[in-house]
């Protein structure tokens, strides 16, 4: 019984020591973790090319991530949790030409205005 208690104590001490956070650069992190890349939110609006009217319910797809969203009642959209990089967007709306925007670079604070042409 004595050996069982000593063994359990050693296992708990070993586990607690390996799972303890490491302090690096003033920030506390778990040992062995990788810092996540910065993430951004893509924001913007979809408008009618001829009238400038915002198009509520437009569909926006990001091919690389499989994300698809719709603009709100004011024609605005927001796609959170995107890593910086290049993306291909497909934008569509009923009775308007579909538009594909290749190599859209996502960075902090960039707001897009996408114009669609009526059919």
């Amino acid at each position: 019984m004595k050996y069982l208690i000593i063994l359990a104590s050693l296992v708990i001490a070993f586990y607690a020591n390996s799972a303890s956070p490491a302090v690096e650069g003033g920030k506390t992190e778990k040992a062995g973790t990788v810092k996540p890349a910065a993430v951004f939110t893509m924001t913007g609006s979809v408008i009618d090319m001829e009238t400038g009217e915002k198009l509520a319910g437009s569909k926006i797809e990001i091919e690389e991530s499989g994300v698809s969203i719709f603009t709100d009642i004011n024609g605005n959209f927001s796609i959170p949790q995107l890593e910086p990089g290049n993306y291909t967007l497909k934008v569509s709306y009923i009775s308007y030409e579909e538009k594909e925007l290749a190599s859209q670079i996502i960075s902090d604070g960039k707001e897009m205005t996408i114009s669609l042409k009526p059919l």
Side-chain angles (χ1 to χ4, degrees):
M1 185 68 172
K2 188 179 192 181
Y3 292 109
L4 186 59
I5 293 172
I6 291 172
L7 180 61
S9 298
L10 288 173
V11 169
I12 291 170
F14 177 76
Y15 178 74
N17 191 25
S18 67
S20 66
V23 177
E24 188 176 304
K27 294 183 179 180
T28 303
E29 294 182 1
K30 273 193 166 181
T33 59
V34 177
K35 291 182 184 178
V39 292
F40 300 108
T41 299
M42 178 191 292
T43 59
S45 58
V46 180
I47 63 170
D48 180 299
M49 184 181 282
E50 295 174 358
T51 65
E53 178 183 350
K54 289 190 174 186
L55 301 174
S58 299
K59 184 177 182 181
I60 301 161
E61 297 176 80
I62 300 178
E63 288 188 348
E64 292 79 5
S65 67
V67 171
S68 67
I69 62 153
F70 292 90
T71 57
D72 63 15
I73 196 162
N74 298 315
N76 300 317
F77 66 90
S78 178
I79 306 171
Q81 303 290 323
L82 292 174
E83 292 183 9
N86 294 328
Y87 293 93
T88 303
L89 304 178
K90 280 189 179 179
V91 185
S92 59
Y93 189 70
I94 296 172
S95 72
Y96 281 75
E97 290 182 0
E98 185 176 280
K99 190 172 205 175
E100 185 171 303
L101 304 166
S103 298
Q104 293 301 306
I105 299 170
I106 305 306
S107 61
D108 196 22
K110 182 178 180 180
E111 191 160 321
M112 306 177 70
T113 301
I114 302 167
S115 302
L116 296 181
K117 184 178 179 182
L119 291 176

